[in-house]
Amino acid sequence: MVLVHLFLLLSLIAVSSGATIVARLNPGGTRVSLSVGTPPQKQLLAVDLNAETSWLPCGKNSSFEPGKSSTFSPLPCSSNACSGHCSTNKCLLPISPKTSVPAFQETLTGFTAPAGAKGTAIFGCAAGKSVGVAALSKNSLALPLQIASSFSVPRKFALCLSPDSPSSLFFGDDSSIIIGGINISSLVSFVPFVSNPVFPSRYYLDLRTIQTDFSDLKLDPSLFSINPKTGIGGLTLSSTNRYTKVPTPVYAAIAQSFKKYATAFNISIVPAQNLPFDLCFNASGMNFNRLGPVFPAIQLIFRNNIPWNLVGSRVIEFFRGNAIGCLAIQSAGDPPATSSIGLFHQFDNLLYFDLAQTRFGFVDRSLHILRQSCKFS
């Protein structure tokens, strides 16, 4: 896979003329490696698609020590970025509903490509914290728009997440991402983001219904609607939850379809035994193909009948030495409830976040159907 990754990066740089900035993610895609300050201080930050501002563990003996950087610059209240964030003559950024921390501007490096890429970004300085956050929301203070401005690249980013190998985060031009000789960009389907007036910086998708093996579950459309007063409802993307969550009636309909299939093919249902699932099966009764266990495929149907297909190993996850496999979806609770696509269903897919055209892109089947993956050595 080393050659694949090298080919990927060379293709990006050659086609995009340096208009793509690439950062390395850990296996599972929950942490991104960046460097901040002069000289660079390496940071391993939690990826958060919903966070509005990025922040670092800050202070003496923290991962970022301002006193050791010659380019550390507290953000003044007069800065445009501080508009609405000034208190007692200090620029303070919110990192939680009840906590705000001092803002500063610093150099940003540590990217895997192009070599020597260097820009600036605004962070919060959070004392006493152990792990910082890389905000990837639509907010102007989150990294996507800051990097677009600092590096003069398009207002886009893409994720290619692997569950067990280093993954990649791409900022900027996404016109020619090539994996294994295939231009994956050309296979991407796009759907528009929908707005949530309560959480305007988060990414919501216009999910219309769900099918199993192309049979509509006849769900009430209101189960996926957003309440404009509370912000509850709709379908969002999660970078913190491993599993996809849907309202209880939706989960019940999916589970019933899987139970019916298991009964028809003599696959035993077994207790979950302290696993975070409600429906598990004895793996010894399953059939397998190159995509994983043979079970009903799940189709998420978006506006204009655009599908996102979940099949095989992206439907069932195995535990206890592969002895049992569980439906990798959880209930989000009784309606009204917000649905979310978890990391498990984001793995081995190329996910585009096009902030310029307010749309989301994905390969309608995960890359392993194309005999490819997001594993980059």
Side-chain angles (χ1 to χ4, degrees), residues 312-367:
S313 60
R314 285 295 159 259
V315 172
I316 300 291
E317 185 169 27
F318 289 91
F319 300 91
R320 310 204 191 289
N322 294 329
I324 66 173
C326 301
L327 174 61
I329 294 178
Q330 298 173 328
S331 170
D334 293 332
T338 300
S339 301
S340 61
I341 298 176
L343 289 166
F344 185 77
H345 291 131
Q346 297 174 36
F347 290 147
D348 289 326
N349 203 314
L350 188 62
L351 306 179
Y352 284 83
F353 297 77
D354 187 340
L355 278 63
Q357 298 189 55
T358 62
R359 61 180 186 168
F360 173 72
F362 57 92
V363 180
D364 71 344
R365 294 172 174 83
S366 64
L367 296 181

Side-chain angles (χ1 to χ4, degrees), residues 245-287:
K245 296 185 177 184
V246 293
T248 298
V250 179
Y251 175 82
I254 297 172
Q256 182 59 35
S257 176
F258 275 67
K259 289 176 182 177
K260 183 178 179 180
Y261 179 90
T263 299
F265 288 90
N266 297 315
I267 303 172
S268 300
I269 296 174
V270 298
Q273 299 177 338
N274 299 320
L275 293 170
F277 303 104
D278 293 325
L279 183 58
C280 297
F281 307 93
N282 189 329
S284 64
M286 298 180 187
N287 291 316

Side-chain angles (χ1 to χ4, degrees), residues 76-142:
C77 280
S78 58
S79 168
N80 289 335
C82 195
S83 177
H85 298 293
C86 192
S87 177
T88 62
N89 294 322
K90 289 184 178 180
C91 185
L92 301 176
L93 296 183
I95 63 171
S96 73
K98 296 183 178 181
T99 304
S100 294
V101 297
F104 67 95
Q105 188 171 45
E106 259 292 11
T107 57
L108 182 62
T109 56
F111 300 98
T112 58
K118 182 178 180 179
T120 61
I122 294 169
F123 297 93
C125 181
K129 300 289 186 179
S130 58
V131 178
V133 166
L136 295 182
S137 71
K138 293 184 284 186
N139 191 280
S140 61
L141 290 176

